Structure formats: C-alpha cells, structure tokens
Amino acid sequence: MTWNCWLVPKLEVWPVEGLPEIEPGDDLGALISGVADLEEGDTLVVAQKVISKAEGRLLDLNSVEVGPRASELAATLESDPRILQVVLNESQRVVRSERVLIVETHHGFICANAGVDHSNVPGKDNVCLLPLDPDASAGALRRRILEVTGANVGVIISDTFGRPWRVGLTNVALGVSGMAALVDYRGQADDHQQELQATVIAIADELAGMAELVMGKTRRIPAALIRGGDWTTHREGTARDLIRPADMDLFR
C-alpha cells in the first residue's frame, strides 16, 4: 500500500539493548517490550536473524541431501555444496551463478544466497533461513507488543541486501506491519509546479537503513526504535508492496 503525504518534524532512533540470545520458541514480543520504552506510533525495526531464531528457522547442514545442481555450482563457486543446496531449496529461480549465487526466493526477494546465513548462529554446521512469511511475522510481533504494552507500533523486519549499481550493503524491509511501506508522490507538484510522474519512496527500506546505523553488525543489538513521523497512523502496508512486479523488472 502506498501513501501520498506525511509530516515529519523530527526523527529519533535508539538501539534496543539488553535482549538475551534468542532461542526457538522465545516470546520475542514480550522480551522486546521488557527492554524498550515503546509508545503509540513508534516504529520498531527488528533484525531478521532474531525473528528466524525465534521461529526455529535454523538448519543443520549435516541433514541436507546434496543434489547434482548444487554439486555443479559448488565446483564453480568454490562453496559448500550443502549451503548451495539449501539456497536452491529456498529459491524459485536462479538469477545469476557467477562469483556469487543470486536467486529469487519463494517470497519474491532478489538477493544473494536466498538470505541463508552462517553469521551469528551457534554451531559451525548450522545456518539461519529467512522467515517463511516475514509480513506475517511482523504482524504477529506487532500484535504481541500491543497485547503486552498497549502501544500500537509499526514493525519492520529488516535484513542486509546488496544493491545493483552501488557498492556496499544496506538494510531493507523484508516484513512490514502497521505502517506504510511506500510513499507515493505521483500527481503532486514539485517546487516548480511540475507534476511528479514516477516518484514513489520506499519509506520502510529507508527506516530499515536508518535503524541499522544504531544496530550495527557486530554490536549484538538486533532491534531499534524510531520515533517521529506519522506513517503508522491508520495505514497498513506490507513488504510485498516493495517487490517490483515481473512486468516492470528491467533485468528479468
């Protein structure tokens, strides 16, 4: 869902500190509510890794049966064939298999290795997979926080993606609940009264990137609180809104 205007007098972002190591089955909403001072209208950005851990999306590579395609790719990419098999299992399409495996996940995300990741996962043979339905995960977390605190907040589940044409990684939104994912300026006039034709801002991605600045990759801070703006007021978007349709994909 897109939204065509908002008022942002000031934005503030804080790291959510004090969370323990997350285990499968943990009540993440209650844990976050216990350490974060959440208020109505706040936006909570949570790293995909802790969502996946709480949902039990961890896999022992020793349980993976490697097929011929993964074995073939392993020789080319010089990678563990078990991981490549997991990536293929989590994908609906291989986009590129030179230097790195770029795929389209079952969610529709175009990313490296289908989000399958070794980092910050205990055990050398364990990997973490993306949530099965990140939008549903965001919605469940938002409802649990509302139940515990009484505060209706927007929730973004974020992960780190590379970008075409640009060097460096940035956080983007994989799941969204309780807020707009896009801001649509089309039809509005710019400063010179020219009508904007194509300007749609990925507000959920921008907030995910903003949150990463206080979360970091090595600080063990898996969530951030953003205060300010009113994109959480009576608006409901999803991360699916951010996926470019196939007929608009210039590289498909």
Side-chain angles (χ1 to χ4, degrees):
M1 177 179 293
T2 57
W3 176 33
N4 61 9
C5 67
W6 85 93
L7 175 65
V8 184
K10 179 173 66 172
L11 285 178
E12 298 176 291
V13 57
W14 295 277
V16 175
E17 301 179 278
L19 287 171
E21 178 68 26
I22 302 302
E23 303 287 345
D26 279 352
D27 187 343
L28 191 56
L31 289 171
I32 291 174
S33 299
V35 296
D37 182 21
L38 297 167
E39 296 182 2
E40 188 82 11
D42 286 347
T43 299
L44 178 70
V45 181
V46 183
Q48 161 269 319
K49 189 67 61 66
V50 295
I51 297 289
S52 291
K53 286 181 177 179
E55 294 181 351
R57 292 283 286 162
L58 301 173
L59 181 67
D60 184 346
L61 291 175
N62 294 311
S63 68
V64 175
E65 183 176 343
V66 177
R69 177 60 171 151
S71 297
E72 177 187 336
L73 288 169
T76 302
L77 299 174
E78 299 182 351
S79 183
D80 187 333
R82 300 173 302 171
I83 293 179
L84 294 175
Q85 184 61 56
V86 176
V87 171
L88 293 176
N89 293 345
E90 294 292 306
S91 306
Q92 60 177 318
R93 179 170 68 99
V94 174
V95 177
R96 179 187 174 94
S97 58
E98 299 174 19
R99 292 187 293 174
V100 65
L101 193 57
I102 305 296
V103 300
E104 181 178 358
T105 72
H106 295 299
H107 320 83
F109 305 135
I110 307 294
C111 60
N113 296 324
V116 177
D117 192 7
H118 257 312
S119 65
N120 294 315
V121 178
K124 66 182 181 64
D125 286 320
N126 293 328
V127 293
C128 186
L129 314 180
L130 297 182
L132 288 172
D133 186 341
D135 284 323
S137 300
L141 181 59
R142 180 170 65 91
R143 290 189 294 273
R144 180 58 174 147
I145 289 171
L146 177 61
E147 180 182 357
V148 173
T149 69
N152 192 17
V153 303
V155 172
I156 296 172
I157 296 174
S158 70
D159 197 11
T160 305
F161 275 26
R163 302 166 296 163
W165 308 304
R166 305 284 289 182
V167 173
L169 307 174
T170 187
N171 271 23
V172 300
L174 298 189
V176 173
S177 181
M179 59 172 289
L182 296 166
V183 177
D184 191 349
Y185 285 100
R186 291 174 298 182
Q188 299 186 47
D190 66 12
D191 290 345
H192 300 283
Q193 301 309 306
Q194 301 294 318
E195 183 176 312
L196 297 171
Q197 301 291 329
T199 306
V200 181
I201 302 298
I203 186 68
D205 282 347
E206 293 190 323
L207 293 172
M210 177 182 181
E212 198 279 331
L213 296 174
V214 300
M215 292 161 64
K217 296 302 175 193
T218 60
R219 299 179 190 141
R220 298 184 64 81
I221 298 174
L225 169 63
I226 298 174
R227 186 162 294 159
D230 61 351
W231 42 76
T232 63
T233 305
H234 308 300
R235 297 169 180 90
E236 183 66 34
T238 71
R240 292 186 299 276
D241 300 334
L242 296 161
I243 297 174
R244 188 182 295 273
D247 61 353
M248 296 177 62
D249 190 337
L250 300 178
F251 304 99
R252 188 177 294 259

